[in-house]
Amino acid sequence: DTAVSQTPKYLVTQMGNDKSIKCEQNLGHDTMYWYKQDSKKFLKIMFSYNNKELIINETVPNRFSPKSPDKAHLNLHINSLELGDSAVYFCASTGRENEQFFGPGTRLTVL
Amino acid sequence: SQQGEEDPQALSIQEGENATMNCSYKTSINNLQWYRQNSGRGLVHLILIRSNEREKHSGRLRVTLDTSKKSSSLLITASRAADTASYFCATDAQGGSEKLVFGKGTKLTVNP
């Protein structure tokens, strides 16, 4: 029933590793986003895809690579993880009036 | 930067009282939205107000928008302990991409 789902919910890993976070939405929306929320709760957009095409790419290190196999899925792969990548990552999809529907978040801890 | 700024950063009130949070932004907008985030959860959309609207209600929520002052307020009436959460405003820049820019949030604590 969950509208926007993400896996995993928690991710603890060592510096230098590569990891992926998956996101799926069953709302039929065309546009999906990845956001990063830091320890001070500041939420910043990273990427946006519309119907599998990248439309927004904020200034994000190229270690972060989003992939959208279809419009219901938007995955985030992160290479060579660094301590500063520790944060909560949220996936979201967009309704008709640009209101966002957020997933539950993935808390990434890099040790 | 278009970033919204909420104030206060933190607000603590007693159950039954009203809570008012403010948001200021810098550029012309299409709409302004308010979201709630409970601890450890994703953000939940509460209400959207368009740039040509001045006030909007949804249940115990009342949102105002003053485009001349580039500011909005969110009023929660008759607060409940369950309203304890962080509240964020987000703006959608006029003429820009569809991306939303979020403020830093107001942490509301409603004491039973």
Side-chain angles (χ1 to χ4, degrees), chain B residues 18-61:
Chain B
N18 295 341
T20 300
M21 288 159 268
N22 302 298
C23 168
S24 59
Y25 57 92
K26 294 179 182 173
T27 63
S28 296
I29 59 171
N30 291 317
N31 63 59
L32 184 144
Q33 305 179 35
W34 285 92
Y35 289 80
R36 183 187 75 229
Q37 184 179 31
N38 289 86
S39 182
R41 310 286 282 270
L43 280 75
V44 174
H45 180 259
L46 294 175
I47 196 164
L48 180 152
I49 186 164
R50 294 186 187 83
S51 59
N52 61 354
E53 296 176 313
R54 291 296 164 258
E55 189 170 310
K56 205 158 181 184
H57 297 253
S58 176
R60 294 183 296 113
L61 305 181

Side-chain angles (χ1 to χ4, degrees), chain A residues 1-39:
Chain A
D1 263 19
T2 307
V4 182
S5 58
Q6 291 177 232
T7 53
K9 190 165 171 59
Y10 299 98
L11 189 49
V12 180
T13 189
Q14 300 285 336
M15 250 185 357
N17 283 351
D18 303 338
K19 289 293 177 187
S20 291
I21 308 171
K22 295 187 175 181
C23 176
E24 176 181 0
Q25 54 97 3
N26 62 6
L27 297 166
H29 293 157
D30 288 336
T31 305
M32 296 181 71
Y33 295 81
W34 278 109
Y35 287 89
K36 179 180 179 181
Q37 188 174 45
D38 63 22
S39 58

